[in-house]
Amino acid sequence: MKLITRFILIYLIVTAIVLAVGGVISYFIIKNEIDAELDRQFIERIDRATYLIDRDRRFNPEWDDVDGDQNMVIDKLDDRVKPSTTFTDTLVWNERLERMELNRKVAAYRRIDGRSYYISTYGQMIESDDITEAVAKTLLWILGLQVLGAIGIGFFVSGHLFKPFRKTLRRIRGFQLQEKEPIPAEKTNVEEFDDLNQFVEEMTRKAVSDYRNLKEFAENASHELQTPLAIAKGKLELLTETELTPEQYRYVDSLQRTVKNLSKLSGSLALLTKIENHEFSNGESINLTKLIRDGIEAFQEFINLNELTVQADLQDDVMVCIHPVLADILWTNLFQNSIRHNIENGQIRVKLTQERLHISNTGKELDKEPAEMFGRFKKSDQSGDSIGLGLSIVHRITKQAGFDLSYSVEGEWHTIEIRFYKPGAD
């Protein structure tokens, strides 16, 4: 949900709550005002009736006509009562509507010329449902205007005020570390956006600096390691040409394998760093069928040496979008892995379609979950010659290319599947 949409929803929810509370308050205020106005009018009528009774009795002491009008009742009381006034609501039959209607009633006890009188009057008041309807209509109109105003303001804010913010987001999305250029801050007319742009510039500048330093360190470390490794390898080769005891020869052979693994480790780590830094970002469409066929042919001597059987079912001209160097590294690591971790007289099966690549090989039982094998330095045989980076490199390459990678084991068969996610694929 966009920020402006969330803001509008919160604004409208708060507005609805405020209007609901305001509607209840308005209802009671309006009703109290109407009741107060009716009470004032009825008191004036009672006072008028009291005045007329007093006047007529002064001019005619024998006067005894105390009939009220249609909405007034005047009764002469035999007992003396204390003067008082009460205000109540009452139901009165309405001849026109033929139903009971709510009326406001004021009853008063008065003493006039030594006599006590009961005087009451009533009149139809505005019904509570009428007040409720009027208040509801008013609030709905206000709410409707608020909705239109909020939508209008939302479009204005989203289209104009948030324009610098959206521009900054686009620049962040387009930021590439390998370009080695930070995102320069741009001035806007909003202080918060200026602070954001300044922070983005500082953050990207630091990221570029850290990336450059890390890249230089990795390249320098890889380069500098090769010289002493090459020297050690040469010295060990010279040493093997001298007369050595069987025990000494085993030590030298072990050191040679260690130096070889160190050289492979240095190259693999440097390759992983380049992949993670997206230095192979420009993909192109390559013929994966041809690459695999040429790769199998290139490994034929190695396959025969290990007495393995390879079955290849390759669909013609399978094209995938990936950097050529990464495609070659991907296939080489997968095929080497299937050969290195096979068993005696084992098998390898390769199947390639337009949607996916399957490579299966016989092998030993894993001592961990298959998914863990994609981590760095993870291998099933810790004492083997493998450095444990082959599948990690495969995982990074497939992730960068946008492919899906999975590893499964069924019996003695180990299967790695790469799904290319081509348009129209199931």
Side-chain angles (χ1 to χ4, degrees):
M1 183 182 292
K2 292 185 177 181
L3 177 63
I4 189 63
T5 305
R6 185 181 294 272
F7 169 78
I8 291 175
L9 287 178
I10 294 175
Y11 172 77
L12 292 179
I13 291 173
V14 173
T15 300
I17 294 173
V18 171
L19 289 178
V21 175
V24 175
I25 297 174
S26 299
Y27 169 82
F28 286 106
I29 291 176
I30 293 172
K31 186 176 185 304
N32 289 337
E33 288 294 325
I34 292 174
D35 290 348
E37 180 63 22
L38 287 174
D39 292 346
R40 185 186 64 79
Q41 294 178 7
F42 292 162
I43 287 295
E44 288 180 356
R45 292 177 64 181
I46 290 176
D47 290 342
R48 177 66 177 172
T50 302
Y51 167 75
L52 292 176
I53 293 173
D54 183 52
R55 185 196 63 182
D56 291 341
R57 287 195 62 82
R58 285 201 307 269
F59 287 99
N60 184 8
E62 301 299 325
W63 180 86
D64 200 24
D65 184 9
V66 292
D67 291 336
D69 59 22
Q70 184 178 1
N71 291 340
M72 179 173 287
V73 176
I74 302 176
D75 291 328
K76 183 172 63 176
L77 304 177
D78 295 332
D79 300 329
R80 294 171 60 89
V81 295
K82 184 178 180 180
S84 62
T85 305
T86 58
F87 305 90
T88 58
D89 293 335
T90 186
L91 292 175
V92 178
W93 179 258
N94 189 302
E95 295 290 346
R96 181 175 62 85
L97 298 177
E98 296 184 351
R99 66 181 184 188
M100 301 295 287
E101 289 289 318
L102 186 65
N103 281 243
R104 186 68 171 173
K105 179 181 178 181
V106 178
Y109 292 94
R110 296 287 187 266
R111 288 186 58 79
I112 303 172
D113 194 24
R115 289 177 175 267
S116 296
Y117 292 86
Y118 170 78
I119 306 173
S120 68
T121 184
Y122 61 90
Q124 189 170 352
M125 61 182 293
I126 299 177
E127 297 183 1
S128 59
D129 56 347
D130 293 332
I131 299 175
T132 302
E133 183 179 354
V135 172
K137 287 181 178 179
T138 303
L139 294 182
L140 286 175
W141 272 103
I142 294 174
L143 181 60
L145 294 175
Q146 292 277 39
V147 170
L148 293 177
I151 294 174
I153 292 174
F155 278 116
F156 172 75
V157 171
S158 177
H160 180 68
L161 293 183
F162 277 6
K163 186 176 180 180
F165 177 73
R166 292 200 303 272
K167 184 177 180 181
T168 300
L169 285 181
R170 287 195 299 270
R171 296 170 70 197
I172 293 174
R173 290 193 187 102
F175 174 69
Q176 297 291 336
L177 265 177
Q178 56 268 30
E179 293 179 0
K180 302 177 183 179
E181 290 295 333
I183 300 176
E186 291 186 356
K187 294 293 294 181
T188 67
N189 56 357
V190 180
E191 182 179 350
E192 287 78 5
F193 291 160
D194 288 340
D195 293 340
L196 174 63
N197 290 342
Q198 187 64 39
F199 171 75
V200 168
E201 179 181 0
E202 294 174 359
M203 179 187 66
T204 54
R205 191 178 299 280
K206 185 177 186 303
V208 168
S209 176
D210 292 344
Y211 166 75
R212 186 183 294 113
N213 293 336
L214 181 61
K215 186 172 182 294
E216 290 177 357
F217 169 78
E219 291 175 350
N220 293 339
S222 178
H223 175 74
E224 294 299 327
L225 277 173
Q226 296 306 315
T227 300
L229 287 174
I231 294 173
K233 185 178 180 182
K235 297 291 186 182
L236 288 171
E237 289 177 354
L238 290 175
L239 191 58
T240 57
E241 297 176 0
T242 64
E243 293 184 3
L244 300 173
T245 65
E247 185 177 3
Q248 290 173 331
Y249 186 82
R250 285 197 303 272
Y251 291 155
V252 172
D253 184 61
S254 176
L255 284 174
Q256 284 182 319
R257 288 197 303 271
T258 302
V259 170
K260 183 180 178 181
N261 283 340
L262 282 174
S263 181
K264 288 167 57 180
L265 176 61
S266 174
S268 297
L269 288 174
L271 176 62
L272 270 174
T273 302
K274 289 182 179 181
I275 295 173
E276 290 174 350
N277 289 336
H278 299 276
E279 295 187 26
F280 302 95
S281 58
N282 297 322
E284 59 185 75
S285 185
I286 68 164
N287 192 325
L288 190 58
T289 304
K290 184 178 183 304
L291 176 67
I292 293 177
R293 282 176 179 161
D294 293 344
I296 294 176
E297 184 177 348
F299 278 99
Q300 194 60 51
E301 185 178 351
F302 196 24
I303 294 170
N304 296 335
L305 183 64
N306 287 272
E307 299 180 347
L308 302 176
T309 303
V310 178
Q311 299 175 5
D313 180 12
L314 309 179
Q315 188 173 336
D316 292 335
D317 298 325
V318 175
M319 308 298 293
V320 295
C321 185
I322 187 175
H323 195 284
V325 174
L326 294 184
D328 185 66
I329 295 171
L330 174 66
W331 168 249
T332 300
N333 276 276
L334 284 174
F335 202 60
Q336 282 183 343
N337 188 74
S338 65
I339 295 174
R340 181 181 295 114
H341 299 288
N342 220 306
I343 59 178
E344 186 177 358
N345 298 320
Q347 301 179 59
I348 299 175
R349 296 173 184 171
V350 181
K351 183 177 180 180
L352 176 66
T353 66
Q354 293 289 343
E355 292 80 26
R356 54 178 64 84
L357 167 66
H358 285 268
I359 179 166
S360 304
N361 64 273
T362 51
K364 298 179 181 179
E365 184 179 354
L366 288 179
D367 57 0
K368 53 178 63 68
E369 291 295 323
E372 296 182 20
M373 301 302 294
F374 295 127
R376 292 190 179 188
F377 305 108
K378 297 293 184 179
K379 50 185 180 178
S380 58
D381 184 5
Q382 299 297 328
S383 63
D385 294 334
S386 173
I387 60 175
L389 287 177
L391 288 182
S392 180
I393 292 173
V394 169
H395 179 255
R396 293 303 306 176
I397 292 175
T398 54
K399 184 176 181 180
Q400 180 170 317
F403 302 156
D404 186 37
L405 177 67
S406 64
Y407 183 5
S408 61
V409 179
E410 186 174 350
E412 64 176 2
W413 284 96
H414 298 245
T415 301
I416 291 181
E417 178 186 90
I418 298 176
R419 188 165 180 171
F420 303 129
Y421 283 122
K422 291 191 173 185
D426 294 335

